[in-house]
Amino acid sequence: MSTADAHAGGSSAGGASAPFARGTVLALLLVGAALFVGLLWFLGHAASPANNGGGHASGRGLNGYAALAALAQEDGYTVARTRSESGMEQPGVLVLTPLPDADGKAIARIVDKRRTIGPTVIITPKWQASLLPRKEKRPRGWTRINGVSLAQWPGFADDVTVSLNGEKGAQGHGWRTADGRSGPLPNDKLVVSGTGQALVPLVTTSDGRTLAAYRDDNGYYPSLDRLADVEPPTVDPAGPEGEDGGRNMDLHPVILVFEPDLMDNYGLANRQTAMLALDILHAAAVDSGSRAITFDLSLAGLGGRPNLLTLAFEPPFLAATVGLLLTLLAVGWRAFCRFGPPRTAPPSIPPGKTTLVANSAALIRRAGRLHLLTVPFVDALRERLVARLGLRRGAAAEQVDPLIDAHLARLHPDSVPFSIAAAQLAAAHRPADAVRAAQALHTLEKDLA
């Protein structure tokens, strides 16, 4: 057994026993440290509730897209949600659901960056909704439709116009695709469509208005799977890119969904519409070669700016945070594995009569009041000798001192008389003189004993 093991459970001669066992203290420290780190993590990643009735992938109201995210996950896609632009840089399909008054330049910046990462699906807003009060056991997040609010995104796709019910206010009479499929819309009286020369329609109304389309901006867009009968626009085969007709094969496609009821919870209550929504996602995912879909929440009003606590738990700063935690753990472990228990420090003022006398003498010496000590010392010694020799108590010093001298002369003729030694001590002004005189009196007292 090593010395450290021998001292693990007890205390040394100079140390005090620990009030708690080492294991108990270690457990308290580890649990407290873990809770503190968890508190820091939750403070850094605190966010507003996602199911707030908004039009995003966590919204469970009529205008939300929670059903689309669940449907894609059930179909085998890996679904993720992000609240920051850094999360939009993941491979796979990115689904954007911006607010009506979102920053068009920010959307354009995100889409331009995504062109070399993966396909992007942008769903324009339509419904204004408010949360229903939680009465009669209604599920959290249910909403009431209050009106319509179209997208106003200056700076993004300015060549595309979004309109409600077309120019003549005609009803949509459901949706249809080029391969002959069709289905209903939850509200045919309020249908959002888009117009623009750079659009390749995917889904239209019965009268030809575009509900969803590829954006043809000289980039590449793949075969549309079940929607493949749509004819792409004619391009010059002698374009700058040669045989690809002037298209940049490295640019991933962008899909604009003008009618949100094709993909929101309101529209996905219909089976045909739900299958159409999956086809649109599949048409985008075919190009990426990935089964991952990321739904953005930041443009829908749930974005969060990173802070120092958030950055501390994210790369590349996560390595420094882990290193700091491991260092603190090593320091704590080293403190627990020290060589024996800690020794108790001696008291600054040791107890005992010697210390009391020394401190009192030092105080008198520093104060310069030596006469306050010498005269009382002589008086006390005289009273002891009077009691020992049986002399009359209370007599004056002039009467007692000759009697003490006479008695001392009979016993020790060569010794200094008591009266002379007492006078020398009473007259001493220096500590050394007082000590010599006091020692002489102390010797006389011993001789008389």
Side-chain angles (χ1 to χ4, degrees):
M1 180 182 293
S2 65
T3 307
D5 293 334
H7 289 286
S11 61
S12 62
S17 59
F20 299 101
R22 277 188 9 157
T24 302
V25 177
L26 182 60
L28 289 175
L29 290 178
L30 291 179
V31 172
L35 292 176
F36 180 70
V37 173
L39 174 64
L40 293 181
W41 189 91
F42 281 111
L43 288 177
H45 291 75
S48 56
N51 185 20
N52 61 353
H56 46 74
S58 294
R60 297 182 176 274
L62 294 176
N63 57 318
Y65 299 92
L68 179 64
L71 185 64
Q73 190 168 6
E74 289 294 328
D75 198 51
Y77 288 93
T78 301
V79 175
R81 295 171 175 83
T82 181
R83 295 180 182 232
S84 63
E85 288 194 17
S86 60
M88 305 181 197
E89 299 176 2
Q90 303 301 321
V93 179
L94 174 66
V95 180
L96 301 178
T97 57
L99 294 172
D101 57 350
D103 187 358
K105 295 181 180 179
I107 300 174
R109 183 180 66 253
I110 295 171
V111 172
D112 291 342
K113 184 183 297 186
R114 286 285 307 178
R115 296 309 297 274
T116 58
I117 300 176
T120 306
V121 177
I122 305 171
I123 306 175
T124 66
K126 180 174 72 170
W127 299 118
Q128 288 182 343
S130 60
L131 280 172
L132 288 175
R134 297 199 64 188
K135 298 178 180 179
E136 301 176 1
K137 298 183 180 180
R138 291 170 179 166
R140 183 185 300 274
W142 279 25
T143 57
R144 175 188 294 110
I145 299 299
N146 299 324
V148 175
S149 179
L150 301 185
Q152 301 291 333
W153 300 335
F156 172 70
D158 292 331
D159 58 332
V160 176
T161 302
V162 178
S163 59
L164 183 67
N165 292 340
E167 296 180 355
K168 299 181 180 180
Q171 295 187 15
H173 298 292
W175 56 264
R176 63 184 56 197
T177 64
D179 61 359
R181 289 188 300 148
S182 62
L185 290 171
N187 191 331
D188 263 331
K189 297 181 180 180
L190 298 174
V191 178
V192 180
S193 60
T195 56
Q197 295 183 353
L199 297 179
V200 180
L202 293 174
V203 185
T204 63
T205 60
S206 59
D207 56 358
R209 284 176 286 159
T210 301
L211 302 181
Y214 273 118
R215 179 165 172 76
D216 179 26
D217 52 359
N218 207 37
Y220 166 70
Y221 53 86
S223 171
L224 306 185
D225 193 39
R226 294 175 65 182
L227 309 176
D229 293 338
V230 175
E231 292 290 338
T234 303
V235 293
D236 184 5
E241 300 295 332
E243 61 181 3
D244 292 327
R247 296 191 174 279
N248 189 344
M249 303 297 290
D250 294 329
L251 295 181
H252 293 275
V254 176
I255 296 179
L256 299 175
V257 180
F258 301 106
E259 175 50 68
D261 288 342
L262 295 178
M263 308 189 83
D264 61 16
N265 301 334
Y266 199 6
L268 263 61
N270 179 266
R271 178 180 176 83
Q272 289 86 351
T273 306
M275 298 306 298
L276 174 69
L278 277 180
D279 283 344
I280 294 175
L281 293 179
H282 182 66
V286 165
D287 167 67
S288 67
S290 172
R291 297 285 290 178
I293 298 180
T294 301
F295 288 89
D296 168 62
L297 304 181
S298 62
L299 295 178
L302 293 179
R305 295 182 178 180
N307 51 51
L308 293 179
L309 288 177
T310 304
L311 295 177
F313 291 94
E314 294 181 358
F317 305 103
L318 179 61
T321 303
V322 173
L324 177 61
L325 294 177
L326 291 178
T327 302
L328 294 177
L329 180 62
V331 171
W333 180 253
R334 183 67 185 88
F336 263 86
C337 295
R338 60 189 299 168
F339 186 79
R343 300 184 64 87
T344 304
S348 57
I349 302 178
K353 296 180 179 179
T354 302
T355 302
L356 179 61
V357 171
N359 290 341
S360 301
L363 178 62
I364 293 174
R365 179 179 179 182
R366 180 175 293 274
R369 298 292 188 269
L370 192 60
H371 64 279
L372 298 178
L373 181 64
T374 56
V375 174
F377 181 82
V378 172
D379 293 339
L381 181 60
R382 182 182 292 110
E383 291 296 329
R384 290 198 299 271
L385 293 178
V386 167
R388 181 170 298 171
L389 299 176
L391 302 177
R392 184 170 63 88
R393 294 185 178 184
E398 294 80 5
Q399 300 175 357
V400 174
D401 288 351
L403 298 176
I404 297 176
D405 292 340
H407 188 77
L408 183 62
R410 289 194 301 270
L411 296 178
H412 301 282
D414 299 332
S415 62
V416 179
F418 170 79
S419 58
I420 296 177
Q424 291 177 349
L425 179 59
H429 294 286
R430 295 185 303 172
D433 298 338
V435 170
R436 283 195 298 269
Q439 288 178 344
L441 286 175
H442 184 63
T443 303
L444 292 177
E445 184 180 12
K446 292 173 58 179
D447 294 340
L448 290 176

